[in-house]
């Protein structure tokens, strides 16, 4: 079965093919260069860029992978959560393509797709604990199966990636800031007492990173030389120690907080021995090390997609669609895009399997 995946939920326009569960080609254009001029994603610009790129990218994918469009069995698309204008571009394109190619149509939950992508490179059985750490979301799920995600915890304010982006923006670093802050942190020495571990002294599984962001802002206010030091960085390793140590301390506070909540979620579900973690922040060096160690200590496994599949991409959409289509799920062309903050309805159509009553 050949599945096309389309991803336009934020600022990446991406299309990919998955054939029988194996990636079979992908193309991606990032708009980071445009949005960095404004210090964050500008929704109107994002939608326009998606419109500009989506058609040519489809042609490019077909050309590079050597398939004929008529071979596509399933056209899938990230239906949400995300920026509504951006989602609408991908969804409208996907519906038109499915209609024209007489292919099945599937709308995929972008958050679930991030976590299910761990299955591209790893074997595991459900149930598992899922930790999604991206620019817009920090969620803990108990995952019973590909359509059964029970949310155990969520962020009450900023997501983990958003905290990196906002503190990086205060430093004047280019958006998105998580990758560069990670590189500076790796080269620095963390002071574990510099920043608080927000929201850990309670029994909740929810996250809150806005207090940590404010603590970082207050610290920057007291040390203006830090801001000055971030002006001209040739390379992270050669950046001034004051900047590297600040990033290492902030990074440690975020990672410690995520690990504390993950530990607590596992204590609440002693039957879970596998952790899936994904989303842009899942490519963070310290987070990967600490979650692996945490799971080793519990005689379990921490599995994550490789870094290129952690940030937004269309392979994860096509792969999730393949898993769903294998179970005979599809959507009608009436399916709606769902913006961030609204629950995604369970409105897939389950086709009767041959021979089933
Ligand atoms: O999953 P993603 O590509 O997009 C969303 O769905 O939000 O995540 C992007 C986020 C950004 O906030 C970016 O700063 C952060 O992931 N990020 C990182 C790293 N790489 C990307 N944060 C920490 N460490 C990294 N290495
Ligand atoms: Zn994402």
């Amino acid at each position: 079965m050949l599945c096309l995946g389309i991803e336009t939920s934020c600022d990446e326009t991406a299309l990919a093919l998955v054939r029988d569960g194996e990636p079979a080609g992908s193309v991606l254009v990032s708009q980071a260069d445009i949005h960095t001029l404004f210090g964050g994603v500008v929704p109107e610009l994002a939608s326009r860029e998606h419109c500009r790129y989506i058609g040519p990218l489809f042609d490019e994918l077909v050309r590079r992978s050597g398939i004929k469009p008529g071979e596509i069995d399933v056209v899938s698309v990230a239906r949400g959560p995300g920026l509504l204008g951006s989602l609408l571009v991908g969804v409208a394109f996907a519906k038109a393509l499915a209609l024209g190619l007489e292919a099945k149509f599937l709308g995929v939950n972008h958050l679930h797709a991030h976590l299910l992508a761990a299955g591209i490179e790893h074997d595991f059985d459900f149930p598992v604990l899922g930790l999604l750490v991206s620019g817009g979301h920090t969620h803990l799920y108990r995952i019973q199966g590909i359509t059964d995600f029970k949310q155990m915890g969520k962020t009450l304010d900023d997501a983990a990636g958003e905290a990196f982006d906002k503190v990086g923006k205060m430093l004047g670093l280019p958006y998105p800031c998580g990758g560069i802050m990670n590189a500076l942190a790796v080269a620095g020495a963390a002071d574990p007492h510099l920043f608080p571990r927000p929201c850990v002294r309670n029994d909740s599984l929810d996250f809150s990173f806005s207090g940590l962001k404010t603590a970082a802002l207050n610290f920057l206010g007291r040390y203006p030389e830090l801001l000055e030091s971030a002006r001209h960085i040739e390379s992270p390793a050669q950046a001034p120690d004051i900047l590297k140590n600040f990033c290492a301390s902030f990074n440690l506070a975020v990672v410690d907080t995520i690990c504390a909540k993950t530990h607590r979620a596992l204590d609440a579900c002693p039957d879970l021995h596998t952790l899936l973690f994904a989303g842009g922040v899942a490519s963070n060096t310290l987070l990967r090390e600490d979650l692996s160690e945490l799971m080793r200590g519990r005689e379990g496994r921490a599995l994550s997609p490789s870094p290129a599949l952690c940030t937004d991409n269309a392979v994860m959409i096509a792969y999730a669609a393949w898993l769903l289509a294998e179970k005979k799920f599809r959507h009608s062309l009436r399916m709606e895009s769902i913006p961030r903050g609204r629950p995604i309805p369970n409105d897939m159509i389950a086709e009767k399997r041959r021979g089933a009553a």
Side-chain angles (χ1 to χ4, degrees), residues 13 22 49 89 104-105 127-128 138 158 167 182 186 199 206 210 223 231 235 257 259 261 282 284-285 309-310 333 344:
T13 319
E22 297 292 331
E49 292 300 295
V89 177
K104 283 185 188 156
F105 172 68
V128 297
T138 309
D158 292 345
V167 172
N182 178 156
V186 167
C199 219
D206 289 334
S210 71
Y223 294 92
R231 288 258 162 95
S235 75
T257 307
C259 288
K261 299 284 174 173
N284 185 274
T285 313
L309 294 178
C310 272
L333 293 180
I344 303 222

Side-chain angles (χ1 to χ4, degrees), residues 9 110-111 114 134 279 310-312 316:
S9 65
H110 172 94
L111 307 183
H114 264 301
S134 69
C310 272
T311 44
D312 284 350
M316 68 183 195

Side-chain angles (χ1 to χ4, degrees), residues 331-349:
H331 269 114
S332 85
L333 293 180
R334 263 178 261 154
M335 186 211 77
E336 286 182 306
S337 313
I338 309 291
R340 186 177 164 189
R342 256 180 55 198
I344 303 222
N346 186 1
D347 54 1
M348 282 188 297
I349 301 163

